[in-house]
């Protein structure tokens, strides 16, 4: 798995857009970028996965520049309930049965 | 929406005792996992299980640990002789088969406290 670097923590306010950037300078050609969210005392939850350009779902958007050495998770109009730790994972997923390796993540605090 | 369930939510045990943590994965999933998270630390992979056998395990998953799918719905993690350092949240996860993906569904966890 490619090494990833994320900010340790971020603060935001309700209603703002939050962008969390992950650096992965050694990303390999076949690697995908995946983001998970973990609320306190809960299991991680898959948010989004992408390979290049932009991916959007009902929860977030993932922006990946052409060189793929970084990616940005964008959360539109955050609420207090978006306070969580966000993890960036980079690697080549198999059809199934993947071992996930979590780093320290980014602790997002949303304030009223 | 289908979800992974785990029991118990909290288990307290004495050092040296055996514990069994139980999980019910999502019914049509074929791959099952255990992870753990020591308080304040990273989520760590323990083991993956497919077709009634271990497909991958980490160095944490030593001879004190074992996994089993005793029937068509449950997936268990057994720790034979617990140590203080086994105190952690234990998460079960499952995933289906299909397009290559890191998408796994995690349960709410079992908090294991070894005293």
């Amino acid at each position: 798995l490619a090494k990833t670097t994320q900010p340790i923590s971020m603060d935001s306010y309700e209603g703002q857009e939050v962008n969390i950037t992950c650096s992965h300078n050694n990303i390999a050609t076949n690697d995908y970028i995946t983001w998970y969210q973990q609320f306190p005392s809960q299991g991680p939850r898959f948010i989004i996965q992408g390979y290049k350009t932009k991916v959007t779902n009902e929860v977030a958007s993932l922006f990946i520049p052409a060189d793929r050495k970084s990616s940005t998770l964008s959360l539109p109009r955050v609420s207090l309930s978006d306070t969580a730790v966000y993890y960036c994972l980079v690697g080549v997923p198999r059809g199934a049965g993947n071992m996930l390796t979590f780093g320290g993540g980014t602790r997002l605090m949303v304030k009223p | 929406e289908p979800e992974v369930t785990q029991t118990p939510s909290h288990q307290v045990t004495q050092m040296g005792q055996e514990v069994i943590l139980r999980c019910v994965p999502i019914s049509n999933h074929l791959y099952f996992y255990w992870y753990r998270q020591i308080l304040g630390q990273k989520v760590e992979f323990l083991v993956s299980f497919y077709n009634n056998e271990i497909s991958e395990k980490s160095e944490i998953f030593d001879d004190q640990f074992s996994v089993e799918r005793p029937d068509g719905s449950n997936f268990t993690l057994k720790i034979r002789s617990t140590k203080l350092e086994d105190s952690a949240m234990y998460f079960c996860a499952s995933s289906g088969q299909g397009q290559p993906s890191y998408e796994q569904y995690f349960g709410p966890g079992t908090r294991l406290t070894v005293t």
Side-chain angles (χ1 to χ4, degrees):
Chain A
L1 293 173
K3 180 174 165 52
T4 60
T5 304
Q6 306 175 230
I8 294 173
S9 64
M10 294 180 68
D11 288 344
S12 183
Y13 291 92
E14 280 191 293
Q16 289 190 334
E17 178 184 77
V18 170
N19 295 309
I20 305 174
T21 297
C22 179
S23 296
H24 27 81
N25 289 317
N26 296 324
I27 191 167
T29 303
N30 295 328
D31 284 345
Y32 281 71
I33 299 151
T34 307
W35 285 81
Y36 271 80
Q37 172 191 57
Q38 186 180 25
F39 298 116
S41 297
Q42 293 189 30
R45 183 174 79 111
F46 174 90
I47 302 175
I48 199 166
Q49 179 174 292
Y51 181 79
K52 62 180 180 180
T53 61
K54 177 183 174 183
V55 181
T56 297
N57 62 22
E58 64 277 6
V59 175
S61 294
L62 177 60
F63 297 93
I64 305 167
D67 67 4
R68 304 201 325 124
K69 293 184 183 299
S70 67
S71 58
T72 299
L73 177 73
S74 181
L75 305 171
R77 296 181 300 281
V78 294
S79 64
L80 297 177
S81 61
D82 291 315
T83 292
V85 179
Y86 293 83
Y87 300 97
C88 167
L89 289 73
V90 174
V92 183
R94 301 188 289 262
N98 295 288
M99 174 184 83
L100 300 182
T101 300
F102 292 86
T106 296
R107 189 170 299 274
L108 173 66
M109 174 70 72
V110 180
K111 302 175 183 177
Chain B
E1 184 178 324
E3 57 182 21
V4 175
T5 59
Q6 291 186 242
T7 53
S9 57
H10 192 186
Q11 173 91 47
V12 181
T13 190
Q14 289 191 327
M15 196 166 51
Q17 295 296 304
E18 174 184 285
V19 294
I20 298 176
L21 310 183
R22 302 180 193 280
C23 167
V24 179
I26 293 172
S27 61
N28 62 347
H29 283 179
L30 300 176
Y31 292 83
F32 315 115
Y33 316 83
W34 284 101
Y35 293 81
R36 79 170 186 191
Q37 186 173 31
I38 296 169
L39 186 62
Q41 298 188 23
K42 300 175 186 178
V43 177
E44 300 174 291
F45 169 81
L46 293 178
V47 66
S48 59
F49 190 86
Y50 169 72
N51 199 26
N52 279 321
E53 60 182 27
I54 291 172
S55 48
E56 255 182 309
K57 61 181 180 179
S58 71
E59 59 187 25
I60 301 169
F61 193 88
D62 61 22
D63 291 345
Q64 292 298 311
F65 292 88
S66 62
V67 289
E68 193 180 26
R69 186 151 164 85
D71 52 42
S73 59
N74 290 283
F75 180 52
T76 61
L77 174 69
K78 182 193 291 186
I79 309 175
R80 270 181 257 288
S81 178
T82 50
K83 304 189 277 284
L84 294 176
E85 54 266 37
D86 293 327
S87 294
M89 281 287 284
Y90 287 80
F91 296 108
C92 173
S94 68
S95 64
Q97 215 167 6
Q99 292 297 317
S101 171
Y102 277 143
E103 184 171 9
Q104 296 178 11
Y105 294 79
F106 283 74
T110 293
R111 181 173 299 282
L112 176 64
T113 302
V114 183
T115 61

